[in-house]
Amino acid sequence: MSLQTVENERLLTWLDVERLLKQRTALWTLLPAYVRGVDCFADGMEIRHTTDAAQIDSWLSKLFGHAYQREPMAIRLRIGNATYLVELVHETAGSASAVEQTYPLWQDVTYLPMRDLEPLDSDTPLPQSQQQGSTPAPWISGPSLVSFHSFKGGVGRTTALMTYVAACMQEPNGDSKKILVVDADLEAPGVSFWLDDANRPTVSFVQLLEALHYPPAGLDATLDFFATELRKTSLNVGGLQRELFVLPAALDLAEIQDISVAPEHLARNPANPWQLSDHLHVLGQRLGVDAVFIDLRAGLSELASPILFDPRVDHFFVSTIAPQSVQGMAEVLRRLYAFNRRLPAKQQDDARPTVVLSLLTKELREADHYEQALKALGEAFPSDDALTSGVQWLEAEFLSTLMSIGSVREALDALPQSNRLFGSASEWAKALYAEPMPVQPGIQACSASPVSSSRQEQAKKLYEICKAAEFADSTATSAILATEPLLNLGKHYVKDLPNLLMIGAKGSGKTFTYRQLIRTGAWQDFLIKLGFDPGSIVNAGIFPVLWSGNIEDTPEGEIKLAQYRALEFIQGSRQYLLLGTELQRQIQDALKTPPDHWEDFWDELITQQMGVAEGGLKELNRVLATQATRIIFVFDGIEDMFNDATEAHSIDAIDALLRLPNRISELENRHIGAMIFVRADYVQATIRQNLGQLLQRFHPFRLEWNPESFLRLAFMLSCQAGIIEGDPKSANYLRIEELKEKLERLWGKKLGSEKSKEAHSARWVYAALCDLKGNVQARDLVRFIKFSADLESGRSASTWTDRILAPESMRQAIPLCSTEKVTEAKTEIAPLRKWIELMEQQDIHNLRVPFSMKEARLDASLLSTLQEIGVIYEDLDGNFGDERLFLPEIYRYGLRFETSAAGRPRTQALLKKNIGNIPL
């Protein structure tokens, strides 16, 4: 059955005809150029036009299909085969078209499209008369207006509102705190019942609506009267400086049952459909409040719509994850999105709503309904940016102690217990009372101020620091971050020598850590550098056996100096040392003519340089034990020595090397250790048995960067560049909250002003750089700051004086990071190179996320490998069918994939699911 047939089945009365016309013309905005207007009445329809009747006949036939009859011109209704007559009124071509007003009411907004639509008649031009934009005039000063709405009652809407009120009352910044709460729920009041007799006003919201609609002595007198009455019954919270005003919905329930004036009456004023918000704003000004909180009626009610669709109001929508609540809230968000998309871009950004998922428990967060709620609500209010959700997400946990609140004072005392939501509310309150950031106008480069010049100089210095640190440059500082994997080394190997694999993705800091290790020269010194007590650490020399191809082996270089120190430590001789070229030749010769046992090859490569000609590791260990000396052999650069980990001889060689810790662990009275730095994809490609056990065994030492380490690295780089005062080493000791606060000097608190609903800067950067499982690599962060600083150093404007990196530079840096990462990775990571070559050979371009295996020419083996290294994420829970493969943003730009409209909210949901609880 076609959509048109379904719609025609609904034509029961003339009202259904009018609804279908509004729907198919997007509330009259897609009328053909020759139709000047359509008016529907109970006894028939009148069409004003400038063409011949035949063209109107054709248009109506396309609109109504079989329900349209030509003689007489009418629409057939289903009840009793009645007809709804159509009358044509011809007008001159020069007459003006009627411009329809769109009111902030559900019955109008429901017909606004969520996307651009084409006219029904493709032969006609786009409509000549566009719908009048009813953008409200901005408020220059005065209180903030904040609304709380829900589709269903009983979801914690009023509790959430009062949590924000409590946060404002407790905010330490500023002197006086004044808040007005308006209970605008005219069917099921909430806050009204929390008032005691001493604080119950003699006026109500119902009376305010009536007095505004029929002002006895003018609007000013009306607002002055209500302000005076509310002052008489205000609540003082902890002293005279903190004052709360509450305007109840009604003085008693009888008043609600006979409402003469509702909010929609004020909204139908053609001159100003936003007057209800304006009046509440003025009332707040008369009371001197900082914010007006409005508790709206639940559901799709016109009692709420005039406030709900006002883009100047900060909107909070509260929903549980119950399907009926989510479905209803999704419809609310869809309508709000359709309304807001007509606004100017700046107003659209400012009108971004907040969704509070309420009454959550640990079990509910782990349930399917939680993820389904994220998906449905995210899709209802989409965003063009895959990293930034169209809505701001907040959560409120279920607390039984909050279910029995009976008064406003009780609410103010109890609601701070709601730790998660109260934390968000406190941040909102802090922004409300924060001093506005001084914004400087754009400054031309030729007349740069001292402030902009200083910022540019700091950005240039930051760029140089990051450029040196990006590839573990030897000129980089010797500071090292005590990340969790490195701390685990000290916890496990204080009294025993380390004997392990240090596995990490490309860019995780393997070579950087390797160089830090060999530069210290001794195991004890390395652990001391990480902050461990030297008293109980077993000591050993550190001997580099294999190293990255980026490190040159010279007589006075870091490799030979480290080898000399290690040999001195064990009283060995330098005469058996191999030069870098000799080492490489031995390995390449062995690949051409493989040894019988690669294990013997590696063992001999080690022992011969120690001067032990026979007996292998066992003999070397005996000599060291006799001398009471110890040594740790370290390996890096496996990926440089073996370019293709899938080649048979390379697999054998790498497998034997990675099992060196097994052979060393068999030695009695062990005086030998080994640390092998290796990329994760090489481990996966070469270990053929018990891979899972091996990964689990060395998991504590896997070079992964958690959010805390991520912040510490950003802080250390900022200190080195002089952006943040302090010793870079202090990055190891600061608490995470201290790090976040100090890093505001680098990238601000948010990607916007503190009062904006833009993402938190640290969280946004983490989301932009991580794979969709929440893993991030150190090099990507360094690279991101490098590009951002480079862009910033070239900016002539200085509008963000509170930070070094402007949001514009940060956003522009992500595609540059991705392109460089992919360019670098495809030369070194064989599976990624293979996939890119497959797509290029078959001329596959411009794929969209999400995509299928077939579209991207992936087989199961290649897909599995790309998933393991974080290039692809397979979403098995998103109901996308075969098209369920996603790319993290750090790869998507570089691989030149687009993101579909459906893919963006799902990417945001996956990020929220996998990094939603990170403390950023």
Side-chain angles (χ1 to χ4, degrees):
M1 184 179 294
S2 69
L3 177 62
Q4 187 179 63
T5 302
V6 172
E7 291 171 342
N8 292 342
E9 288 292 313
R10 296 180 178 178
L11 299 180
L12 305 183
T13 71
W14 72 272
L15 293 171
D16 295 316
V17 174
E18 184 180 42
R19 289 189 188 102
L20 190 144
L21 278 165
K22 289 179 180 178
Q23 179 185 6
R24 300 296 297 276
T25 64
L27 198 60
W28 314 120
T29 62
L30 293 181
L31 288 172
Y34 48 78
V35 174
R36 316 304 280 175
V38 178
D39 297 304
C40 293
F41 307 99
D43 57 351
M45 178 200 312
E46 184 179 279
I47 300 177
R48 292 172 283 110
H49 66 97
T50 60
T51 186
D52 55 72
Q55 198 164 18
I56 298 296
D57 181 82
S58 175
W59 177 62
L60 289 174
S61 179
K62 290 178 181 178
L63 275 173
F64 293 98
H66 296 302
Y68 172 65
Q69 72 174 31
R70 288 183 167 82
E71 293 295 338
M73 189 176 283
I75 310 299
R76 283 190 292 270
L77 304 178
R78 293 189 63 211
I79 297 178
N81 292 319
T83 55
Y84 183 59
L85 296 177
V86 177
E87 180 182 353
L88 302 185
V89 178
H90 190 275
E91 296 183 349
T92 60
S95 60
S97 301
V99 179
E100 295 288 343
Q101 168 74 286
T102 301
Y103 293 102
L105 298 169
W106 290 110
Q107 66 180 67
D108 277 8
V109 175
T110 190
Y111 298 108
L112 298 179
M114 288 188 66
R115 63 186 185 278
D116 293 331
L117 300 177
E118 294 296 326
L120 182 69
D121 188 344
S122 59
D123 296 328
T124 62
L126 288 172
Q128 299 296 312
S129 60
Q130 291 294 334
Q131 198 162 17
Q132 178 179 321
S134 53
T135 304
W139 298 312
I140 305 303
S141 60
S144 299
L145 259 66
V146 191
S147 78
F148 280 73
H149 179 264
S150 62
F151 178 74
K152 289 179 63 64
V155 298
R157 183 190 69 243
T158 302
T159 301
L161 178 147
M162 288 304 296
T163 300
Y164 273 69
V165 172
C168 291
M169 291 289 103
Q170 293 193 14
E171 169 55 35
N173 291 339
D175 297 323
S176 65
K177 304 285 186 300
K178 293 187 177 183
I179 299 295
L180 168 62
V181 174
V182 177
D183 190 348
D185 188 343
L186 297 181
E187 290 183 356
V191 179
S192 303
F193 288 100
W194 285 358
L195 294 168
D196 53 35
D197 292 339
N199 299 114
R200 189 181 304 280
T202 58
V203 291
S204 67
F205 184 56
V206 169
Q207 292 177 321
L208 177 65
L209 292 173
E210 294 173 348
L212 291 173
H213 199 55
Y214 302 110
L219 289 174
D220 283 341
T222 296
L223 291 167
D224 284 339
F225 174 80
F226 275 81
T228 299
E229 292 302 307
L230 288 173
R231 287 192 191 97
K232 296 176 183 178
T233 54
S234 66
L235 289 86
N236 292 107
V237 183
L240 293 175
Q241 294 298 305
R242 298 171 189 267
E243 194 171 9
L244 177 62
F245 306 94
V246 179
L247 179 63
L251 298 181
D252 53 53
L253 294 179
E255 192 174 49
I256 291 178
Q257 297 172 60
D258 183 22
I259 299 177
S260 299
V261 178
E264 65 178 296
H265 292 113
L266 278 70
R268 288 199 175 279
N269 184 330
N272 180 17
W274 310 103
Q275 58 178 316
L276 178 56
S277 301
D278 288 336
H279 293 325
L280 291 176
H281 185 261
V282 173
L283 178 61
Q285 285 181 308
R286 300 279 166 89
L287 291 169
V289 301
D290 309 300
V292 178
F293 286 87
I294 309 166
D295 195 12
L296 294 173
R297 175 61 196 147
L300 307 178
S301 170
E302 303 294 15
L303 295 174
S305 55
I307 299 293
L308 194 66
F309 293 112
D310 191 330
R312 301 169 298 180
V313 178
D314 192 354
H315 298 297
F316 288 75
F317 296 96
V318 184
S319 174
T320 65
I321 62 171
Q324 60 269 40
S325 181
V326 169
Q327 291 171 22
M329 184 51 66
E331 177 62 16
V332 172
L333 290 172
R334 278 191 289 270
R335 295 300 110 221
L336 183 64
Y337 175 80
F339 191 86
N340 284 0
R341 66 190 295 269
R342 309 176 316 144
L343 299 171
K346 178 64 171 65
Q347 277 192 287
Q348 287 189 47
D349 292 340
D350 294 340
R352 181 183 174 207
T354 298
V355 172
V356 181
L357 296 179
S358 63
L359 306 182
L360 288 173
T361 63
K362 180 178 181 296
E363 292 74 19
L364 287 176
R365 285 191 179 91
E366 294 172 353
D368 291 341
H369 285 317
Y370 176 79
E371 194 169 339
Q372 291 165 5
L374 294 179
K375 179 177 183 292
L377 298 177
E379 290 174 349
F381 203 100
S383 165
D384 292 334
D385 182 1
L387 291 173
T388 306
S389 173
V391 302
Q392 182 184 51
W393 296 100
L394 297 179
E395 295 184 355
E397 65 268 47
F398 172 80
L399 290 175
S400 58
T401 54
L402 303 182
M403 304 303 290
S404 58
I405 292 175
S407 71
V408 171
R409 292 190 184 277
E410 192 177 336
L412 295 177
D413 291 338
L415 289 172
Q417 299 174 26
S418 178
N419 296 328
R420 188 182 290 260
L421 186 61
F422 188 76
S424 302
S426 298
E427 184 178 312
W428 187 94
K430 182 179 179 181
L432 176 68
Y433 292 106
E435 291 293 328
M437 183 186 74
V439 177
Q440 298 188 359
I443 302 170
Q444 300 301 316
C446 60
S447 59
S449 69
V451 172
S452 62
S453 297
S454 174
R455 288 179 67 256
Q456 288 179 334
E457 290 168 6
Q458 287 181 304
K460 288 177 182 177
K461 180 64 182 297
L462 181 61
Y463 168 79
E464 295 297 335
I465 291 291
C466 293
K467 186 177 180 181
E470 186 177 2
F471 294 100
D473 192 284
S474 59
T475 60
T477 177
S478 60
I480 186 170
L481 282 175
T483 58
E484 186 174 352
L486 298 187
L487 292 175
N488 285 337
L489 284 175
K491 295 174 183 177
H492 286 75
Y493 297 109
V494 171
K495 296 184 179 181
D496 297 314
L497 294 184
N499 186 35
L500 52 92
L501 305 183
M502 295 207 74
I503 302 169
K506 180 174 176 59
S508 60
K510 298 184 303 301
T511 298
F512 179 82
T513 306
Y514 171 92
R515 298 179 85 161
Q516 295 286 346
L517 182 62
I518 65 173
R519 285 172 187 167
T520 58
W523 182 241
Q524 186 180 72
D525 294 339
F526 181 70
L527 292 189
I528 290 172
K529 199 171 184 178
L530 291 175
F532 288 90
D533 181 7
S536 58
I537 301 174
V538 64
N539 207 5
I542 297 174
F543 185 93
V545 181
L546 201 62
W547 52 90
S548 168
N550 295 324
I551 305 175
E552 189 177 0
D553 182 29
T554 63
E556 299 300 323
E558 59 186 300
I559 296 298
K560 280 295 175 278
L561 291 178
Q563 290 177 337
Y564 297 160
R565 286 193 299 267
L567 289 171
E568 290 173 8
F569 196 92
I570 64 169
Q571 305 164 32
S573 171
R574 301 182 183 181
Q575 69 180 90
Y576 304 107
L577 287 179
L578 294 172
L579 299 177
T581 53
E582 295 172 334
L583 176 69
Q584 187 173 12
R585 186 167 57 249
Q586 282 198 25
I587 295 174
Q588 294 305 317
D589 288 346
L591 286 171
K592 293 175 183 177
T593 308
D596 293 335
H597 302 286
W598 274 100
E599 291 82 357
D600 294 340
F601 171 85
W602 291 115
D603 295 355
E604 290 171 7
L605 190 69
I606 294 169
T607 57
Q608 286 177 3
Q609 295 190 79
M610 300 296 104
V612 176
E614 296 181 356
L617 294 176
K618 187 174 182 180
E619 177 60 18
L620 174 60
N621 190 65
R622 186 194 65 77
V623 172
L624 294 173
T626 302
Q627 298 173 348
T629 57
R630 293 174 174 82
I631 193 167
I632 302 168
F633 298 108
V634 293
F635 299 77
D636 187 32
I638 296 173
E639 302 83 10
D640 298 324
M641 195 63 69
F642 303 95
N643 292 327
D644 187 356
T646 62
E647 194 274 327
H649 295 323
S650 295
I651 290 175
D652 292 337
I654 298 169
D655 179 79
L657 176 57
L658 298 186
R659 297 193 186 278
L660 175 62
N662 292 350
R663 302 195 293 279
I664 291 177
S665 65
E666 295 172 353
L667 300 173
E668 293 185 12
N669 189 23
R670 183 165 64 85
H671 279 57
I672 298 174
M675 295 178 66
I676 302 173
F677 294 83
V678 60
R679 229 168 52 201
D681 57 305
Y682 269 60
V683 176
Q684 185 187 34
T686 56
I687 297 297
R688 290 162 291 191
Q689 292 182 347
N690 303 321
L691 173 61
Q693 293 179 18
L694 181 139
L695 294 175
Q696 183 64 32
R697 174 182 169 191
F698 298 119
H699 186 267
F701 318 108
R702 185 162 181 143
L703 288 169
E704 294 178 329
W705 288 75
N706 59 27
E708 189 172 329
S709 302
F710 164 86
L711 291 178
R712 295 190 192 284
L713 178 57
F715 175 84
M716 186 180 75
L717 295 169
S718 300
C719 286
Q720 292 169 5
I723 292 170
I724 298 175
E725 295 182 1
D727 185 348
K729 295 179 181 178
S730 64
N732 289 320
Y733 310 112
L734 294 174
R735 293 181 297 106
I736 195 166
E737 290 301 323
E738 293 174 311
L739 289 167
K740 286 162 58 178
E741 183 177 350
K742 289 182 180 294
L743 282 169
E744 290 177 18
R745 179 58 190 151
L746 172 65
W747 49 37
K749 187 170 187 176
K750 295 181 177 180
L751 290 179
S753 67
E754 191 169 356
K755 290 186 178 181
S756 75
K757 290 193 176 182
E758 292 284 359
H760 286 76
S761 298
R763 177 181 285 271
W764 183 87
V765 174
Y766 196 92
L769 300 181
C770 75
D771 62 24
L772 292 176
K773 293 180 181 178
N775 302 313
V776 70
Q777 304 306 328
R779 186 180 298 169
D780 291 332
L781 175 60
V782 177
R783 181 184 278 134
F784 165 78
I785 298 178
K786 179 196 74 172
F787 278 120
S788 298
D790 189 34
L791 290 165
E792 192 62 39
S793 65
R795 290 182 77 239
S796 59
S798 178
T799 54
W800 299 95
T801 57
D802 65 331
R803 65 194 73 182
I804 298 300
L805 303 180
E808 296 87 347
S809 297
M810 293 167 65
R811 293 184 188 278
Q812 292 170 24
I814 296 301
L816 299 175
C817 286
S818 179
T819 300
E820 186 171 278
K821 180 182 179 74
V822 170
T823 300
E824 169 195 311
K826 71 181 181 182
T827 64
E828 301 181 24
I829 301 178
L832 180 59
R833 180 171 62 251
K834 179 181 178 181
W835 182 36
I836 292 173
E837 289 173 352
L838 279 172
M839 290 193 290
E840 289 175 347
Q841 290 167 4
Q842 301 188 43
D843 199 29
I844 298 171
H845 301 290
N846 303 320
L847 286 182
R848 299 172 73 86
V849 176
F851 56 96
S852 68
M853 290 176 61
K854 183 178 179 180
E855 287 176 319
R857 303 304 189 266
L858 288 164
D859 58 35
S861 176
L862 184 55
L863 173 61
S864 176
T865 303
L866 292 172
Q867 285 179 276
E868 177 65 26
I869 61 179
V871 175
I872 291 178
Y873 182 93
E874 185 175 14
D875 179 21
L876 299 175
D877 303 317
N879 299 320
F880 283 98
D882 291 338
E883 295 181 349
R884 57 177 181 267
L885 302 181
F886 286 77
L887 294 175
E889 293 297 282
I890 194 61
Y891 279 107
R892 184 180 68 79
Y893 286 103
L895 290 170
R896 299 180 182 179
F897 276 58
E898 300 294 329
T899 304
S900 69
R904 282 191 292 272
R906 185 56 186 163
T907 299
Q908 296 153 7
L910 289 171
L911 286 169
K912 177 168 174 55
K913 173 185 175 183
N914 292 320
I915 70 170
N917 294 324
I918 65 171
L920 299 181

